[in-house]
Amino acid sequence: MTSEPLPTPAPSSPTGYVTLADLTAQWGIAGSTLRSAIRDSDHPRRWLPAPDATLGRALVWHPATLANLKRPTPGRPAGVRETQPRARRTATTTAPPSATGT
């Protein structure tokens, strides 16, 4: 399955920047998912570029920074091997104690 590029977001503020709230509304992705995807380190699952600026506490991007951005397809991260599931434990039945009291 190939991932389609996300649509280029339109800024909702007069500054021309796109905020995190704009991205959640236009892309339909949760804000917590977007915050964890910001590329502030070399982690391979970080796909959203670092913000171009901060206005107060808001992270903002130029629309050109987010053009043709592709979200990775969900699934198993690269490098994880397929393994066999562990075998189920079988229930061991034990006979009830003998009721013969001699």
Side-chain angles (χ1 to χ4, degrees), residues 26-48:
Q26 294 177 27
W27 288 347
I29 301 173
S32 59
T33 302
L34 290 174
R35 278 189 294 277
S36 67
I38 294 174
R39 227 182 291 158
D40 57 358
S41 67
D42 292 330
H43 194 275
R45 297 296 288 178
R46 306 282 168 99
W47 55 271
L48 190 63

Side-chain angles (χ1 to χ4, degrees), residues 3 5 9 11-12 14 17 27-28 31 36 45 49 55 58 60 68 81-82 84 87-88 94-96 98:
S3 62
S12 65
Y17 286 108
W27 288 347
S36 67
R45 297 296 288 178
L55 298 176
V60 294
N68 297 320
R81 297 182 317 173
E82 292 290 331
Q84 294 292 328
R88 286 188 171 216
T94 57
S98 171

